[in-house]
Amino acid sequence: LAQAVFLIEKGEQFLDMTALASAKKILLAECQGARRDSLCEYYLARVYLAEYIYYDQVRGDTAKALDSLAMAESTGRDAIARRPGDARVRVLMGRIYQVKLSRYTLTDLTRMMLDESPVVAEFNRALELDPGSGEAELGLGIYYLYIPRVFGGDGHRARKHFKKAAKLMASNPEPLVWVSISYREEGRLEDARIFLDRALAL
């Protein structure tokens, strides 16, 4: 499993399909039977989500991308069933739902928003389990930055989450980049530059 995790991280960082395929092969072989590692489904869901990103953003293959996304969601639900109290699993499921949300039409969003957003529900559950989850704060920020205003989207609200994430992930420049993006979206380029410079300094 340690080798699989190494390959997953490489695959996620560089969108390396060879690494992802090798990780999946290991996991599918090792993650059999009732005594399998309880993180198996979590790692598999990460592989499928990375595959989705590769097929969607690199290859432009919508059919394969959607197949991978469906597998990520199904495996993510299995991961929650096995580890309902693990904040990492909830963060991952929030990311999967966020990707699904990005593909919805306005009509789909309107129908879905009659209930609580599953994205918000998963990230909030992660924060209940681990108040120090910078990844959950980051996910909420991205959600509020890009969801239409009529559904609660708000750059200022997004920045609050990004800034919390930046404190919780002090050595990671990504939350600072997102603060910069949120200012840029509002045309506040001087403010955007300040946070981009801070990110570059890291």
Side-chain angles (χ1 to χ4, degrees), residues 145 149 154-160 163 176-197:
L145 183 62
R149 183 171 291 275
D154 179 355
H156 179 69
R157 187 177 189 180
R159 272 193 297 280
K160 286 185 177 180
K163 288 179 179 179
L176 297 172
V177 173
W178 279 105
V179 175
S180 178
I181 290 169
S182 72
Y183 280 127
R184 186 193 65 194
E185 293 285 307
E186 296 176 2
R188 296 171 60 179
L189 301 186
E190 290 185 7
D191 291 323
R193 170 56 64 186
I194 289 170
F195 282 89
L196 199 57
D197 285 344

Side-chain angles (χ1 to χ4, degrees), residues 76-142:
R77 287 175 176 167
D78 290 341
I80 286 176
R82 294 207 73 197
R83 298 179 67 89
D86 191 327
R88 292 172 297 174
V89 177
R90 298 291 180 167
V91 168
L92 178 62
M93 203 67 214
R95 290 179 57 212
I96 292 167
Y97 284 140
Q98 197 156 38
V99 169
K100 281 190 68 178
L101 194 71
S102 72
R103 304 192 69 94
Y104 288 168
T105 65
L106 188 59
T107 302
D108 292 331
L109 283 172
T110 302
R111 189 182 306 115
M112 191 192 73
M113 289 302 177
L114 294 174
D115 302 313
E116 182 185 18
S117 163
V119 178
V120 174
E122 291 298 341
F123 286 137
N124 281 337
R125 179 64 179 136
L127 287 168
E128 288 171 10
L129 294 165
D130 177 11
S133 175
E135 289 189 354
E137 292 287 1
L138 184 62
L140 284 169
I142 294 170

Side-chain angles (χ1 to χ4, degrees), residues 55-72:
Y55 286 124
D56 183 61
Q57 296 183 8
V58 178
R59 292 288 297 277
D61 189 329
T62 301
K64 286 187 177 180
L66 292 178
D67 284 346
S68 295
L69 183 57
M71 288 299 297

